[in-house]
Amino acid sequence: MTDEELHRHLIGQQGSRAALNTPVLVLDLDALDRNIATMAALAKARSVALRPHAKTHKSVDIARRQIAAGAVGQCCAKIGEAEVLVDGGIAGVLITSPVAAPGAIERLAALAARASGLMAVVDHLAVATAIDRALAEAGATLDVVIDIDPGIRRTGVASPEAAVALAQTIAALPNLTLRGVQFYCGAQQHIEDYAERRAAIAERTDYLREVIDALTGAGFAPDIITGGGTGTHRIDLDLGVFTELQVGSYIFMDRQYLDCDLTGDGTPPFETALAVDARVVSANHAMLVTIDAGFKSLSTDGGAARVMRGAPADTHFAFMGDEHAALIGDGIGERLRPGDAVTLTVPHCDPTVNLHDTYHIVRGDTLIDLWPVSARGRAR
């Protein structure tokens, strides 16, 4: 049965969260809205735009709430995500990964013909030319930003000189308009110590300034300087180079970011809004119980989940396969019985969300709505 079939009838019933079939992705609406408002206020105070990253939530409903709070659009990692958001009425979408495959370039051109404010990154001369050709055939134009490699050699031009050469190519293509640059330091986002993270980002931002100076000197001063993330948002705002931030995980706060000092004083600026509810399915050992959430319900790349409620906070979590995990602790098998509910903080929110079809929206312990994970699986 689908989530709709299982849970639609529970909406509005007091305490209905306890009746959800587990494992289930749960989103606290009030915490979500407070997180959205907090980030919006921080950016507004520095006159920096927000273009939050939808690769985190993959949700038209959440994108609408971010835009209602002042965001200028959304970022998408893949064209498939962008298609879903555009078809859901979201304007100002920026595709942050290069679109290079012939079929994907055709889709990009078709999307540009119907999307409002669509942008995409480019990092290669030949790809820029191929996109321009596809746009001509589709009768469309497209704004682009140059992706700059921050040092991890994943995507992006590799030097200031390469950025200028690409800008010159784009300037000669009739269907592309250069708007600026993208610089995303993903490797630095999860450095747990604030001072260490700030030093790393300050050094990379000095390099970004070199690229901007080279482009400006060649007559291509960027209007948009986009990048940053949840882990570095305070530092990026202080350094004052970005015109917009691509923050994503702040709306949920997973374990990876809960482990980071985001402010420099150890105070978490955002609340934990996303969780997975699970239930004990076996309790035959004094120090271990088994729950019904395993690899298929929680991402594995961000470490272990943490218990938010239903068991002691120091309970140890360990994956036990596709369908199961263990909760380990002194006397836990005597405290918890089969059917008891536990709530888990997710290790890494982006891939965890991609494992689920539906957000179960709660206020307190009451289910108040169901939102689809609109762009789930749209990785191409």
Side-chain angles (χ1 to χ4, degrees):
M1 297 178 71
T2 67
D3 289 324
E4 285 281 336
E5 293 169 325
L6 289 170
H7 298 142
R8 173 63 64 180
H9 71 283
L10 296 174
I11 291 176
Q13 295 183 24
Q14 186 68 32
S16 52
R17 178 175 180 173
L20 293 173
N21 291 260
T22 58
V24 64
L25 189 67
V26 176
L27 181 57
D28 183 316
L29 182 61
D30 293 336
L32 170 72
D33 284 342
R34 286 191 292 268
N35 289 344
I36 290 172
T38 296
M39 184 65 82
L42 287 169
K44 184 177 181 181
R46 302 296 186 93
S47 299
V48 172
L50 288 182
R51 199 181 304 269
H53 218 306
K55 73 183 179 72
T56 297
H57 57 69
K58 304 169 186 66
S59 165
V60 171
D61 294 282
I62 295 176
R64 289 172 180 158
R65 297 182 94 84
Q66 291 174 313
I67 290 170
V72 298
Q74 295 279 293
C75 290
C76 291
K78 296 294 187 72
I79 187 169
E81 293 175 352
E83 289 168 333
V84 170
L85 263 63
V86 167
D87 291 341
I90 304 301
V93 171
L94 166 62
I95 302 172
T96 60
S97 297
V99 178
I105 288 174
E106 291 180 7
R107 288 164 58 200
L108 177 62
L111 187 62
R114 69 177 192 272
S116 174
L118 182 70
M119 294 192 292
V121 301
V122 290
D123 72 352
H124 196 280
L125 307 177
V127 173
T129 301
I131 292 173
D132 181 76
R133 186 163 51 247
L135 289 166
E137 294 175 1
T141 59
L142 180 67
D143 289 349
V144 296
V145 297
I146 294 174
D147 188 24
I148 301 166
D149 179 10
I152 62 175
R153 302 184 179 183
R154 182 173 66 182
T155 67
V157 297
S159 68
E161 295 77 17
V164 170
L166 182 53
Q168 292 168 336
T169 295
I170 293 168
L173 296 172
N175 301 296
L176 296 181
T177 299
L178 180 60
R179 295 294 308 281
V181 297
Q182 172 181 273
F183 192 69
Y184 176 61
C185 295
Q188 288 77 19
Q189 296 299 317
H190 296 105
I191 297 174
E192 293 184 8
D193 180 76
Y194 182 84
E196 183 182 347
R197 188 168 65 255
R198 184 183 180 91
I201 287 297
E203 186 274 332
R204 287 291 78 199
T205 302
D206 286 342
Y207 173 67
L208 172 59
R209 291 189 180 100
E210 292 180 22
V211 179
I212 292 170
D213 288 346
L215 287 167
T216 301
F220 302 107
D223 294 326
I224 294 173
I225 305 168
T226 184
T230 297
T232 60
H233 73 280
R234 294 289 183 99
I235 302 164
D236 294 326
L237 289 171
D238 286 345
L239 294 175
V241 174
F242 287 114
T243 65
E244 63 178 46
L245 296 184
Q246 297 182 1
V247 287
S249 300
Y250 75 98
I251 58 171
F252 294 152
M253 290 303 289
D254 55 23
R255 174 173 179 173
Q256 288 185 317
Y257 280 119
L258 291 169
D259 286 344
C260 293
D261 178 2
L262 296 184
T263 61
D265 62 8
T267 303
F270 307 108
E271 303 173 46
T272 302
L274 187 72
V276 167
D277 280 1
R279 290 187 187 279
V280 176
V281 294
S282 183
N284 293 316
H285 304 279
M287 297 185 63
L288 180 150
V289 300
T290 303
I291 61 173
D292 58 2
F295 295 139
K296 292 180 180 178
S297 302
L298 294 155
S299 69
T300 63
D301 64 321
R306 286 180 179 165
V307 173
M308 292 177 65
R309 67 177 186 176
D314 62 352
T315 299
H316 177 70
F317 173 99
F319 284 108
M320 294 185 75
D322 290 350
E323 316 294 351
H324 303 110
L327 299 182
I328 303 168
D330 289 340
I332 195 168
E334 298 165 357
R335 293 184 185 185
L336 299 183
R337 308 311 305 159
D340 285 351
V342 293
T343 296
L344 306 169
T345 299
V346 304
H348 183 189
C349 53
D350 301 23
T352 294
V353 167
N354 201 51
L355 295 170
H356 297 265
D357 292 322
T358 306
Y359 289 105
H360 292 72
I361 309 302
V362 300
R363 179 169 281 129
D365 286 326
T366 299
L367 180 71
I368 62 171
D369 208 350
L370 299 172
W371 295 349
V373 181
S374 319
R376 181 191 178 189
R378 297 298 294 266
R380 57 183 180 275

